[in-house]
Amino acid sequence: MPKEQYEPPDPRRMYTIMSSEEAANGKKSYWSELEISGKVRSLSSSLWTLTHLTALHIGDNALSRIPPDIAKLQNLVYLDLSSNKIRSLPSELGNMVSLRELLLNNNQLRVLPFELGKLFQLQTLGLKGNPLAQEILSLYQEPDGTRRLLSYLLDNLAGTKRVSPEQPPPRSWVVLQEPDRTRSTALFSVMCYNVLCDKYATRQLYGYCPSWALNWEYRKKSIMQEILGCNADIISLQEVETEQYYNYFLPEMKEQGYDGFFSPKSRARTMSECDRKHVDGCAVFYRTEKFSLVQKHTVEFNQLAMANSEGSEAMLNRVMTKDNIGVAVLLEVRKEMMEQSAGKSLHGMEKQLLLVANAHMHWDPEYSDVKLVQTMMFLSEVKTIVEKATRSLKLSSVSGETNAVPLVLCADLNSLPDSGVVEYLSTGGVDSTHKDFKELRYMDSLTNFNCNGKNGTHNGRITHAFKLKSAYENGLMPYTNYTFDFKGIIDYIFLSQPTLNVLGVLGPLDPHWLHENSIRGCPHPHIPSDHFSLLAQLELVLSYPPSPVNGLHLTGRR
């Protein structure tokens, strides 16, 4: 976890005493630091009600124990317990994760609770003058000793059986509507999941997670269990490393009846073969008994930015320098699957196509403009894919009819529900002056991605050609990304209307389980990624063509 700048309290503490006149006049005082001195032997329980404290100085006393209730002071950043007679520490001290400085010098400590390893933001740990075991002292005295000791304690915490041995409770299924029995429909399920690739799973980013639980060999088994447990017909994954796709994911998924398509981020093309193996990208898997592959496409945002810059420095300097990608697969729904869902023979029913798109947008919150432009590029390319498929496959569709092919869009958008990205996808467009563009000059280049093209009318809005609905609406998931510093919704499944309907979704992980087990962020020994998976059951409305063309059919104009 990146360390914020920490300023320790000034050791030259100054005290002011409010006069009786000031108190009588109603003067208020606010103090965030407290010092207790005078060879104190025990602490009043009222101390633990002062939850606003950020610094507590109780060194140079005669304390022999510290009550577990000290953990109620969750805002403490500085805690000085030096020069007392403390023989042991409460394990609850490990829950005080805001601590940056913990001074335990000159006490009578022989052991440390393994829970101290949970203090991942701690920058200074004072242990001098304690009769600690040599193993602890040796780690502490090494260069970067505080970090090494905390890592050791956290990694061995599970061995003390203080990590909850129970798996998280099953996530509940949320029924949104019943299937339409009056029409022929095909049912299928879609999963969207950022698996957190190995190179990003570091103690620097996720200091609250033991290193063994960040290890890829440990996490990959839980990730695969999550994927297979959802049993989705279509699976969209982000942050899949190239080597892991070909050596692990694809072989495992093929054994389960899937095939897949993968593309790494654009940087892979300029790397050596050895380095290329560790570049992450996006993958789509589909169940072969239900779908067959018609086309596959990779969308490279930096290439699109370069080709459509139109002299925009922002496009060249901000968008083109990011190598995020998206993938799209055009699938044909197998007739057997349609008949099984419909419960009857579909004689006369022509072929049905489905486009599945998957993308991972830039991560940095300071680049809201880049995320929005990348999303516009992706929708524009998806539109082109549909139109080219319509022409090349001679589909029975009006030229340029993008809504003819049902679309499922899965993505880690790295954007919250109130962002310009989600507004653009949900409402069909955004104003060219939207705040997420940061008043940067994009307009001329953005018209290339407009619904009607550069020469169409846009009225100051950039629009797309699809009518999209989010599978998860109305707060069904309070967060899809769950770390110590950030908890929010950034992963999405969108589906095109009205040909696709959402029947149900997988609900959130029980928040009580997270609270009871003091899980402040993921990954965790029981949760292999910092993202939660999304799973939706969709209903595809089938329709008979008025006039089949070349045996292929796409649903008509809406």
Side-chain angles (χ1 to χ4, degrees):
M1 191 65 60
K3 298 285 193 301
E4 296 176 3
Q5 187 66 31
Y6 165 65
E7 294 290 339
D10 190 338
R12 299 167 298 175
R13 295 188 291 280
M14 297 181 63
Y15 305 92
T16 57
I17 299 176
M18 189 184 300
S19 68
S20 56
E21 291 84 358
E22 289 173 329
N25 291 330
K27 182 178 179 180
K28 302 294 184 182
S29 66
Y30 178 80
W31 37 272
S32 58
E33 297 186 28
L34 177 64
E35 180 175 18
I36 299 175
S37 61
K39 298 303 176 184
V40 174
R41 293 178 178 272
S42 63
L43 297 168
S44 168
S45 59
S46 61
L47 176 60
W48 318 128
T49 66
L50 305 178
T51 55
H52 67 285
L53 290 176
T54 60
L56 181 59
H57 307 262
I58 46 179
D60 295 304
N61 283 294
L63 299 169
S64 59
R65 64 181 292 273
I66 299 297
D69 281 348
I70 194 172
K72 293 179 179 179
L73 305 182
Q74 282 291 307
N75 291 309
L76 275 191
V77 174
Y78 176 96
L79 177 58
D80 184 1
L81 298 171
S82 297
S83 300
N84 279 283
K85 299 178 181 180
I86 301 170
R87 294 178 178 274
S88 64
L89 297 170
S91 60
E92 289 80 3
L93 203 59
N95 293 328
M96 302 176 69
V97 293
S98 295
L99 280 176
R100 302 296 202 280
E101 191 163 357
L102 175 59
L103 303 180
L104 301 166
N105 301 310
N106 303 316
N107 278 287
Q108 298 172 19
L109 296 169
R110 294 184 179 275
V111 295
L112 297 176
F114 286 98
E115 283 81 1
L116 283 191
K118 294 157 65 176
L119 302 178
F120 66 96
Q121 298 196 94
L122 202 63
Q123 298 179 28
T124 302
L125 176 61
L127 292 175
K128 294 176 182 178
N130 284 284
L132 290 163
Q134 189 58 45
E135 182 181 19
I136 298 295
L137 288 175
S138 296
L139 277 171
Y140 178 66
Q141 291 164 357
E142 289 182 15
D144 201 13
T146 293
R147 185 187 63 81
R148 288 175 178 271
L149 177 56
L150 292 176
S151 295
Y152 166 81
L153 293 172
L154 184 61
D155 287 349
N156 287 277
L157 177 59
T160 66
K161 299 184 179 177
R162 290 171 184 163
V163 169
S164 170
E166 296 181 9
Q167 292 289 328
R171 293 164 60 185
S172 59
W173 184 256
V174 181
V175 176
L176 299 177
Q177 66 180 71
E178 294 298 321
D180 188 342
R181 304 294 183 188
T182 65
R183 294 189 288 182
S184 296
T185 60
L187 306 185
F188 64 97
S189 52
V190 177
M191 180 187 197
C192 179
Y193 190 26
N194 182 322
V195 300
L196 179 60
C197 76
D198 184 37
K199 68 180 176 182
Y200 302 142
T202 64
R203 286 298 308 280
Q204 285 71 34
L205 287 174
Y206 306 102
Y208 47 80
C209 185
S211 56
W212 56 266
L214 288 173
N215 182 277
W216 177 250
E217 291 304 310
Y218 175 86
R219 289 196 306 116
K220 74 178 186 181
K221 298 169 187 174
S222 298
I223 289 168
M224 189 56 67
Q225 287 175 358
E226 175 77 8
I227 292 170
L228 298 181
C230 285
N231 196 33
D233 301 312
I234 295 170
I235 300 161
S236 294
L237 304 179
Q238 302 89 34
E239 284 196 26
V240 177
E241 281 194 4
T242 301
E243 183 178 46
Q244 295 302 323
Y245 174 79
Y246 290 107
N247 293 347
Y248 182 62
F249 285 101
L250 187 58
E252 290 281 336
M253 298 305 291
K254 281 193 170 183
E255 279 192 15
Q256 301 296 325
Y258 295 85
D259 205 348
F261 173 58
F262 166 82
S263 277
K265 287 179 178 174
S266 301
R267 72 186 72 161
R269 66 168 72 227
T270 63
M271 289 182 162
S272 67
E273 186 174 346
C274 180
D275 292 336
R276 197 178 304 144
K277 295 186 298 186
H278 302 295
V279 177
D280 66 290
C282 297
V284 175
F285 294 97
Y286 53 91
R287 201 185 298 275
T288 54
E289 68 177 14
K290 293 191 174 185
F291 303 96
S292 59
L293 181 66
V294 179
Q295 292 178 359
K296 54 190 179 183
H297 301 268
T298 300
V299 179
E300 295 185 90
F301 301 137
N302 61 357
Q303 299 296 312
L304 287 169
M306 183 164 55
N308 295 277
S309 64
E310 300 287 346
S312 167
E313 290 187 8
M315 186 69 91
L316 291 171
N317 295 333
R318 291 176 68 84
V319 183
M320 194 185 78
T321 54
K322 313 297 184 294
D323 68 342
N324 305 82
I325 58 108
V327 296
V329 292
L330 187 64
L331 302 175
E332 179 186 327
V333 185
R334 292 194 183 276
K335 191 173 183 181
E336 297 80 7
M337 176 231 188
M338 293 190 287
E339 290 181 335
Q340 183 179 12
S341 293
K344 62 183 179 181
S345 171
L346 296 179
H347 181 71
M349 174 68 70
E350 301 300 335
K351 295 180 180 179
Q352 175 70 59
L353 299 186
L354 174 71
L355 186 65
V356 179
N358 178 22
H360 187 188
M361 304 311 178
H362 185 62
W363 66 271
D364 193 337
E366 295 300 315
Y367 284 79
S368 58
D369 56 317
V370 171
K371 303 176 198 194
L372 186 48
V373 174
Q374 287 179 338
T375 305
M376 291 174 169
M377 289 175 170
F378 195 44
L379 264 288
S380 177
E381 285 300 294
V382 167
K383 172 177 178 279
T384 301
I385 290 168
V386 170
E387 290 176 343
K388 286 184 177 178
T390 302
R391 291 194 296 269
S392 65
L393 298 175
K394 297 183 173 61
L395 302 176
S396 56
S397 170
V398 179
S399 177
E401 175 60 85
T402 50
N403 285 339
V405 180
L407 169 66
V408 176
L409 170 62
C410 300
D412 175 354
L413 297 173
N414 274 311
S415 301
L416 293 166
D418 63 354
S419 64
V421 167
V422 176
E423 178 185 338
Y424 170 75
L425 292 171
S426 301
T427 67
V430 292
D431 290 336
S432 58
T433 56
H434 194 282
K435 63 181 177 59
D436 282 4
F437 286 123
K438 296 179 173 289
E439 300 183 355
L440 296 168
R441 294 189 59 203
Y442 280 109
M443 190 57 204
D444 290 343
S445 54
L446 294 182
T447 55
N448 292 335
F449 309 115
N450 210 25
C451 176
N452 299 316
K454 191 171 183 66
N455 297 320
T457 58
H458 52 79
N459 299 322
R461 280 178 64 80
I462 309 300
T463 60
H464 64 75
F466 301 91
K467 184 181 179 184
L468 299 175
K469 170 186 171 67
S470 174
Y472 283 82
E473 290 185 332
N474 304 318
L476 285 173
M477 284 283 282
Y479 33 69
T480 64
N481 186 218
Y482 190 86
T483 67
F484 179 80
D485 289 328
F486 174 82
K487 296 170 179 65
I489 300 169
I490 58 175
D491 304 275
Y492 301 84
I493 298 176
F494 283 93
L495 49 141
S496 59
Q497 302 269 277
T499 316
L500 289 170
N501 299 311
V502 56
L503 302 182
V505 297
L506 186 63
L509 189 63
D510 182 4
H512 299 295
W513 183 84
L514 293 167
H515 177 73
E516 288 168 5
N517 290 280
S518 300
I519 299 173
R520 292 180 167 85
C522 300
H524 174 270
H526 296 322
I527 305 171
S529 175
D530 57 337
H531 291 251
F532 295 121
S533 61
L534 303 181
L535 177 66
Q537 185 184 41
L538 304 183
E539 174 186 57
L540 171 61
V541 178
L542 307 172
S543 58
Y544 292 84
S547 54
V549 178
N550 294 337
L552 293 169
H553 168 67
L554 291 174
T555 49
R557 180 182 292 275
R558 300 172 186 173

